[in-house]
Amino acid sequence: MNQTLDTLIIGAGTAGLAALREVRKRTENFLIVNEGPWGTTCARVGCMPSKMLVEAANALHARTRWEAFGLRGGQDARADLPAVLTRLRALRDEFVAGTIRASDAGERSVSGRARLLDAQRVEVNGRTYKTRSVIVATGSRPVLPPDWLAFGERILTSDNLFEQPTLGPRVAVIGLGAIGTELAQALARLGVEVVAFVTRERVAGLTDEAVSAALFEQLKGEFAISVGERAQLRELASGIEVSNGSTTVVVDQVLAAMGRTPNVEYLGLDTLGPVLDKHGLPPVDPCTLQVGDTSVFLAGDVDRDRALLHEAADEGHMAGINAVLAAQGKPPRRFRRRVPLAITFSDPQAASVGMPWAEVQKREHLVGEIDYSRQGRARVALRNAGLLRIYAAPGTGRLLGAQMCAPSGEHLAQLLALAIDRDLTVQDMLRMPVYHPTLEEGLRSALRQIARQLAPASDSDLSACENLGASALD
């Protein structure tokens, strides 16, 4: 392979594989390089195995509601952790196998470390390849303080948690972002004694203080949460001592869930020209994924902007298309990004949709909310906990965003994301049929709160056959 490549893809995760699909439609003159295990972060150690653990935990936790339903005997159920983890790995391996098949490019796929020598030259395993464009999709890894490595196998991350044959009876979880929240609650529901350590009362990536506080209170009812200084570890004969100045516990294992960091060390991004930020990343155009005016494109978790699977897949497609265009000497295409959407699979589920709360607060806005502790269908199911808050523009009623911790919040979030993408207003949403009794009725209640704050429509605004909307059926 002595000729100049059209493109060289570094990384075979979700973004890299999406890029590969687009590149292969347009050229066979490419190379895909991957360091470490093949198979996406989502399939191997992320979304899929974590949801298997969450589903097992929720299935067991359902027994705590049996007595209230008039059902008996639920308290005798328990988790067989080795069996739970064995089933998890078996199903996980099936998902991983699918992603490995998708990455098979024959002699055009190489295992090894790649380093940029400049925008047109990449060194792989000591060999230099010339290329007209490069796609960097090297992903990210869990944040782990270097001194914690001394504790060996007692330190867990999402990268090695699911490989454990079983877990100790006591686990400290450091951090309650999306990953920490999901795993801490799941482990607690499976019978592990969990203590979580955080530096502030903010959970699951929620930035609306009211919604975060509602979920924080729910989580405190299931496992201990200590708010204090950054946690410090000390090895003892009986385990690991974890202390944050206000709480000290001894546990068998520590789960580090303090976020993820991009895999950019030794990648050679400094050879591209643009100044790197504090994370070692160059500036990237979010609509083209181009680095400055070079023929290098960043996609997926490595760029930190939207570290989510569906965004990584989108960015892989964008980068794949634009890298081939760059190889042909053509300008990149600009893509419209999806409505921001993030979901944490806690119980109740947490979600953020559309404009971030910090941005909403900078402009005039209206808020409608529903407390799910009083919502009819949620009470029937004994899942009545959580808070949904929706934000809208005061003049038009156009939906701006929402944050929630709500039962089946994943479905409410998807519905709101579609509405925001279509520029729907509160009035548009209130014309949607809502069946009774459903959790979506809570969404309608929050929308009606906003509608009552909007200026009423004049007679000339009403159609001859008036729609049922904000004022109807109140």
Side-chain angles (χ1 to χ4, degrees):
M1 195 181 294
N2 296 319
Q3 81 275 20
T4 300
L5 299 167
D6 284 333
T7 191
L8 190 150
I9 305 169
I10 307 175
T14 297
L17 294 185
L20 175 63
R21 286 191 290 273
E22 293 298 338
V23 168
R24 294 181 86 166
K25 294 176 186 177
R26 296 162 173 82
T27 180
E28 285 298 318
N29 186 22
F30 67 86
L31 186 71
I32 181 167
V33 181
N34 188 69
E35 182 180 8
W38 292 71
T40 67
T41 295
C42 173
R44 286 191 305 105
V45 297
C47 337
M48 301 311 291
S50 65
K51 299 316 164 287
M52 295 176 221
L53 193 72
V54 167
E55 291 292 350
N58 290 348
L60 180 62
H61 185 73
R63 79 195 191 284
T64 63
R65 300 193 291 268
W66 284 15
E67 289 292 324
F69 281 123
L71 308 175
R72 306 292 182 249
Q75 297 307 316
D76 295 332
R78 64 178 180 82
D80 180 344
L81 272 175
V84 169
L85 291 166
T86 296
R87 184 255 180 185
L88 180 156
R89 285 190 291 272
L91 186 55
R92 183 274 313 273
D93 290 346
E94 292 183 26
F95 292 124
V96 171
T99 65
I100 291 176
R101 286 193 296 272
S103 64
D104 183 11
E107 65 177 7
R108 296 193 176 279
S109 57
V110 175
S111 293
R113 174 173 292 185
R115 174 178 172 78
L116 293 163
L117 301 178
D118 53 43
Q120 281 79 42
R121 294 182 303 143
V122 181
E123 182 184 90
V124 180
N125 298 335
R127 177 180 177 180
T128 299
Y129 292 86
K130 294 181 180 180
T131 182
R132 297 182 180 90
S133 66
V134 178
I135 298 170
V136 176
T138 48
S140 63
R141 66 185 185 279
V143 170
L144 190 63
D147 56 324
W148 288 18
L149 296 174
F151 296 95
E153 294 181 354
R154 291 183 175 184
I155 299 295
L156 304 176
T157 69
S158 57
D159 275 3
N160 65 359
L161 170 66
F162 307 116
E163 303 306 323
Q164 307 303 308
T166 189
L167 297 170
R170 306 165 300 175
V171 172
V173 177
I174 315 299
L176 286 178
I179 296 172
T181 295
E182 288 183 1
L183 296 180
Q185 187 179 47
L187 292 177
R189 290 186 168 191
L190 290 169
V192 176
E193 181 183 337
V194 172
V195 180
F197 289 83
V198 293
T199 56
R200 55 178 179 168
E201 294 187 7
R202 191 69 60 81
V203 293
L206 296 167
T207 54
D208 185 319
E209 294 84 353
V211 180
S212 180
L215 181 57
F216 189 86
E217 287 302 310
Q218 290 298 315
L219 296 176
K220 281 203 310 182
E222 298 196 37
F223 56 89
I225 304 177
S226 178
V227 182
E229 300 298 320
R230 190 174 299 276
Q232 302 296 318
L233 310 186
R234 185 165 70 97
E235 188 167 16
L236 302 176
S238 56
I240 298 179
E241 179 187 85
V242 185
S243 179
N244 65 352
S246 58
T247 300
T248 300
V249 297
V250 178
V251 298
D252 301 288
Q253 292 161 309
V254 173
L255 174 61
M258 299 170 289
R260 299 181 68 86
T261 188
N263 294 321
V264 294
E265 292 82 2
Y266 316 114
L267 190 55
L269 292 177
D270 57 317
T271 66
L272 299 179
V275 176
L276 306 184
D277 65 15
K278 63 180 181 180
H279 304 292
L281 294 169
V284 178
D285 185 322
C287 295
T288 65
L289 302 183
Q290 185 177 17
V291 176
D293 59 359
T294 73
S295 57
V296 177
F297 301 84
L298 259 65
D301 289 5
V302 69
D303 70 6
R304 295 179 59 91
D305 181 32
R306 303 186 185 192
L308 300 164
L309 179 134
H310 67 280
E311 295 287 356
D314 282 354
E315 291 187 355
H317 287 294
M318 294 163 60
I321 292 168
N322 281 338
V324 176
L325 288 174
Q328 297 169 347
K330 298 176 182 177
R333 288 172 55 184
R334 299 188 64 80
F335 293 87
R336 177 175 179 249
R337 302 302 297 265
R338 296 186 197 267
V339 170
L341 170 65
I343 300 173
T344 299
F345 292 87
S346 53
D347 184 16
Q349 292 176 338
S352 300
V353 188
M355 187 179 294
W357 175 234
E359 294 300 315
V360 171
Q361 290 178 294
K362 295 176 182 177
R363 57 190 296 168
E364 292 186 14
H365 63 276
L366 302 174
V367 177
E369 66 179 46
I370 173 67
D371 181 345
Y372 267 91
S373 68
R374 299 189 296 272
Q375 202 269 334
R377 178 61 185 276
R379 292 177 63 193
V380 167
L382 293 176
R383 299 173 64 202
N384 50 315
L387 178 68
L388 163 66
R389 281 165 55 88
I390 303 173
Y391 324 124
T396 62
R398 184 172 64 86
L399 294 172
L400 301 175
Q403 290 197 19
M404 70 190 76
C405 60
S408 296
E410 59 184 297
H411 304 299
L412 299 173
Q414 298 274 182
L415 179 61
L416 284 166
L418 177 61
I420 294 170
D421 180 71
R422 297 296 185 266
D423 287 326
L424 298 187
T425 66
V426 169
Q427 296 90 337
D428 292 330
M429 288 291 286
L430 285 169
R431 284 194 284 272
M432 176 184 71
V434 177
Y435 205 78
H436 174 76
T438 61
L439 295 168
E440 282 74 14
E441 289 180 301
L443 172 61
R444 185 175 62 183
S445 296
L447 291 167
R448 281 178 169 167
Q449 276 191 17
I450 299 175
R452 285 192 286 270
Q453 301 173 62
L454 294 169
S458 66
D459 290 343
S460 61
D461 293 330
L462 299 176
S463 63
C465 184
E466 184 173 335
N467 287 309
L468 290 177
S471 62
L473 305 181
D474 276 345

